[in-house]
Amino acid sequence: MSRTVFHVSQTEESRDFAPPPGYEAWGVLQSGTFDNITVLARVYRDVGAHGPGPEFLLACPSGTGQVICTVSRPLAGDGQRKEKEYAVHGSDGGFVGCVAHGRSPCGVRQAWRIRPQAGGPVAVGYKGALRGWVTFWGTIPLLPVLTVVGLLHDGGGPSTWMWGMPKRIAWRGRSAVLGGRRVLRFTTYNSVYDWDSKRLGKELAYAQAVLYWASGVM
């Protein structure tokens, strides 16, 4: 396994770069911490409501404008799944796959599916571990108590450290090729993505990370 750990940053410093026309500096993907930070990609987001261009554009951090990948606007799915599908194109403009956002088969949890081009092995992730959801729903009756504790702790009600829907998610392969192996994981600890670069291409990994973060996970 070739493991790469990175996270999304949207601090003011992480958006201090010039975007191309029609886009805004949205954030960066970076690895490392403190004085040893490596920027993996700059992320731009389209500012037009219905423009013809991609919704997200990921570029190399060198500032040359070299594109890593683009993420299209979502296409609404048909039928009962009603998925939103985002097409991902590589640096040469070629289609590399898509990321789909829908629901789990039972309709309970949010589902994210990574589908490489040409029928490659699909990876699926469900938002929140089952244990996390059981804990979450089990603590709802304790919300009044948690509210009081939150007020005493920081004066602002229940804090995210003690209350909030589960956000952790692990994308696992659904094929004989990947055999259920984890190819990408998001953990709320420091909002880190743990990526297996040998089993999932950079373009799809980066695109999925940006889309999951942009969905309002934090």
Side-chain angles (χ1 to χ4, degrees):
M1 175 177 177
S2 181
R3 181 172 176 265
T4 301
V5 175
F6 66 91
H7 66 279
V8 178
S9 176
Q10 286 188 288
T11 62
E12 185 175 349
E13 296 80 6
S14 299
R15 292 180 282 112
D16 187 21
F17 51 87
Y23 286 82
E24 63 180 357
W26 185 81
V28 297
L29 302 183
Q30 62 186 33
S31 62
T33 55
F34 303 108
D35 295 331
N36 191 29
I37 292 177
T38 299
V39 176
L40 304 175
R42 292 179 175 181
V43 184
Y44 306 90
R45 189 170 195 173
D46 185 14
V47 296
H50 302 286
E55 182 169 356
F56 287 100
L57 190 156
L58 282 69
C60 295
S62 60
T64 61
Q66 182 180 358
V67 173
I68 296 175
C69 67
T70 61
V71 183
S72 74
R73 298 180 182 280
L75 301 175
D78 298 325
Q80 295 181 348
R81 292 192 306 174
K82 296 182 179 178
E83 290 184 333
K84 289 184 177 180
E85 191 170 275
Y86 302 80
V88 182
H89 294 80
S91 58
D92 60 355
F95 178 70
V96 296
C98 65
V99 174
H101 183 202
R103 308 295 297 185
S104 62
C106 59
V108 177
R109 291 189 288 171
Q110 290 187 34
W112 289 87
R113 296 172 175 84
I114 304 174
R115 299 173 180 148
Q117 65 165 337
V122 175
V124 180
Y126 299 114
K127 184 177 180 180
L130 289 175
R131 182 174 61 181
W133 281 110
V134 170
T135 302
F136 172 76
W137 290 113
T139 55
I140 284 183
L142 301 177
L143 181 57
V145 176
L146 295 175
T147 301
V148 173
V149 173
L151 289 170
L152 294 175
H153 179 262
D154 58 12
S159 301
T160 54
W161 63 268
M162 62 188 299
W163 181 257
M165 292 186 178
K167 303 177 180 68
R168 298 181 65 176
I169 180 171
W171 287 263
R172 298 182 182 276
R174 294 299 177 90
S175 69
V177 176
L178 296 178
R181 295 184 180 93
R182 188 178 68 215
V183 299
L184 184 68
R185 180 180 66 169
F186 172 82
T187 171
T188 52
Y189 176 73
N190 288 335
S191 304
V192 163
Y193 289 91
D194 191 340
W195 164 46
D196 184 349
S197 58
K198 284 190 175 180
R199 296 192 172 99
L200 181 64
K202 176 172 64 176
E203 297 89 352
L204 289 174
Y206 287 2
Q208 175 65 91
V210 168
L211 288 170
Y212 189 55
W213 189 270
S215 70
V217 65
M218 298 303 290

